[in-house]
Amino acid sequence: MHPVRSRVRLRAAAVAAALAALLLAPLPTARHAEAAATLNNAGFESDGTGTATPAGWSTYSAAGQNAASFTEAGGHGGGHRLSHWSSAAYKVETYQYLSGLADGPYTLSAWVRSGGGQNSAYLALRNCGSAEQRTDLPVISSSWIRIVTPITVAGGACTVSINSDAKAGNWLNVDDLTFTPGTTGLAVKGVDLSALKKSEDLGGTYKSASGAPGDAVALLKNAGANYGRLKVWVNPADGYNNKARVLATAQKIKAQGMKLLVDFHYSDIWADPGAQTKPAAWQGHSYSRLRTDVYNHTYDVLSALKAQGTTADMVQIGNEINTGMLWPEGSTSNWTQLAGLLNSGISAAKTVSSGTQIALHLANGGDNALYRTWFDNAKAQGVSYDVIALSFYGYWHGALSSLQANLDDISARYGKKVLVAETAYPFRLDSEDAHENIIDLAGELVAGYPASSAGQSAWLRDVMNVVEAVPNGRGLGVVYWEPAWTAVTGNGWDPADPSSGNGWENQALFDYDSRLLPAASRLAHR
């Protein structure tokens, strides 16, 4: 064969093969706009209103529904935003391909809103040389929420993707994205197991999602939980949640390789913003004696835990102490005395184990004014702690955007890590026992989160996403409250009344057949 003609034929064959490869390449990654090492037009300001494919971005829809992606006025930080919406059901992706990246960890951050109802609505990082990472959009229509998605880039490239698989009329907004070096995650993915010992002693059983009998702690650990939380009462009427029972459950938690958070109520019964009742044994004690009581009780429980090889990894000095503890001496109306009581408990905990983290815990996690006032006073009084812990129940404490604003502010203002130490959500409204559930009406629910397995799962997912997005890695994690408190006769609200019922079984992570619910898998959050 003539050598020149041979080279021409080889080149023609190579061109044909390249064209065939392009035609066969999977979409949407082959249909990207110009690649860059940084996000282009991350605030969607370049094109004004009504652009289906904004500058720097590409749009893909297998069904030819590109028009469901468009820019419009009303941005988070600037004048415009990206929206997904159509009057008919649609699937659309808006994406941008980045190349020339240094390998290593990166985090995508974006401000988002969504009316909910989609089959799926999420941000994704894909084709990055590691497993695809996604973050679902929370359901919030009136305020913007910042969410993050971490990835490890290997190979210098990554695709940033905004995705909707939606029903007619479903919508989302996205704006002000960043893609920067660094990573995120949650160190604490916890479960409060305070009611478990009594449940088991009274015959309570637990099953896997498939119905196989199992140990509740093991089932939750295998679902992703890495922390167990236990409340401590001083001398409760039923003998549960006292030192002996806490020691027993702590052994089960630590045997699963989980860490332990101990929650001191400094009471014989529930302590919360509306009730901080002194233990009966401490009634009539002077303020000075109460400081000794707090020290001795804290030291006694924690040293016993340490002695059996289950040292507490974190300790709450008080439970939901918005208004103080050990009323009236430890009320917030006398911050000097409250600080003295707190410092007694903190000193005892640190004496037992200097590595134990100290958490101070308030309720009303969306109330920034409360947290500023409370922790400003704690700082002025010289109270030393490591973690700000919050309770956040959406049906009581406000919108997810309020939680985020509070977490962002207090973590920066006080230089502390923040932990949502309590949250939960119902998977149904009806009661399994004769006791009325705490949340049992549709009007009590958070908009966009139905009382269903999916609604419960989405709530836990979105609270975890909000905590993960706290800047500078200060979002420590989330603890789901009483996931194993199912309806077992005798294990009710009142420790002094064996006939009292349970108003919480519809918010457990085990259903009315004692099977593990899908929301438990959210504990495996990155």
Side-chain angles (χ1 to χ4, degrees), residues 244-266:
R245 264 50 185 263
V246 166
L247 288 170
T249 308
Q251 286 181 319
K252 296 188 68 172
I253 289 168
K254 289 282 190 170
Q256 291 295 329
M258 299 164 65
K259 292 187 176 181
L260 177 63
L261 165 56
V262 178
D263 171 18
F264 285 95
H265 283 226
Y266 300 112

Side-chain angles (χ1 to χ4, degrees), residues 300-503:
D300 180 46
V301 173
L302 295 180
S303 60
L305 285 165
K306 182 178 180 180
Q308 71 171 12
T310 59
T311 300
D313 299 282
M314 190 184 302
V315 170
Q316 281 180 220
I317 304 300
N319 185 77
E320 295 189 334
I321 52 176
N322 305 29
T323 51
M325 65 186 201
L326 294 167
W327 291 346
E329 289 81 2
S331 166
T332 49
S333 62
N334 189 333
W335 252 100
T336 300
Q337 290 192 173
L338 173 56
L341 294 169
L342 292 170
N343 283 330
S344 289
I346 292 165
S347 176
K350 289 293 189 179
T351 298
V352 173
S353 171
S354 61
T356 294
Q357 296 285 287
I358 302 299
L360 299 179
H361 173 218
L362 309 187
N364 304 86
D367 187 347
N368 183 239
L370 163 69
Y371 280 73
R372 279 189 167 218
T373 299
W374 203 98
F375 283 96
D376 280 357
N377 276 301
K379 182 177 180 180
Q381 293 293 332
V383 179
S384 178
Y385 62 97
D386 305 296
V387 175
I388 297 176
L390 312 86
S391 293
F392 185 76
Y393 299 97
Y395 38 73
W396 292 327
H397 297 154
L400 284 168
S401 56
S402 297
L403 172 65
Q404 180 164 84
N406 190 32
L407 293 175
D408 288 359
D409 178 66
I410 61 178
S411 62
R413 185 178 180 88
Y414 305 107
K416 303 295 184 181
K417 293 200 171 184
V418 287
L419 170 72
V420 173
E422 294 185 22
T423 195
Y425 204 76
F427 62 90
R428 58 195 293 172
L429 292 174
D430 62 313
S431 181
E432 187 178 7
D433 62 13
H435 190 80
E436 181 182 9
N437 289 333
I438 292 176
I439 302 298
D440 63 349
L441 299 174
E444 296 172 317
L445 299 173
V446 179
Y449 296 87
S452 65
S453 176
Q456 181 187 57
S457 182
W459 177 258
L460 180 55
R461 175 198 74 197
D462 293 344
V463 172
M464 297 180 91
N465 284 342
V466 165
V467 177
E468 185 185 13
V470 175
N472 300 311
R474 290 187 174 134
L476 189 58
V478 175
V479 178
Y480 194 95
W481 197 71
E482 292 287 15
W485 195 4
T486 53
V488 175
T489 301
N491 194 13
W493 276 98
D494 187 352
D497 181 6
S499 67
S500 64
N502 180 3

Side-chain angles (χ1 to χ4, degrees), residues 278 282 284-296 326 329-330 336-338 340-341 344:
K278 286 196 289 285
W282 302 0
H285 288 189
S286 67
Y287 167 68
S288 177
R289 177 69 182 277
L290 286 172
R291 288 197 63 178
T292 302
D293 292 333
V294 168
Y295 185 96
N296 290 343
L326 294 167
E329 289 81 2
T336 300
Q337 290 192 173
L338 173 56
L341 294 169
S344 289

Side-chain angles (χ1 to χ4, degrees), residues 217-257:
V217 182
L219 290 169
L220 290 165
K221 191 266 184 181
N222 291 337
N226 65 2
Y227 246 91
R229 180 180 187 246
L230 297 175
K231 71 170 174 275
V232 185
W233 289 340
V234 177
N235 188 25
D238 62 357
Y240 284 87
N241 302 117
N242 63 1
K243 182 176 78 170
R245 264 50 185 263
V246 166
L247 288 170
T249 308
Q251 286 181 319
K252 296 188 68 172
I253 289 168
K254 289 282 190 170
Q256 291 295 329

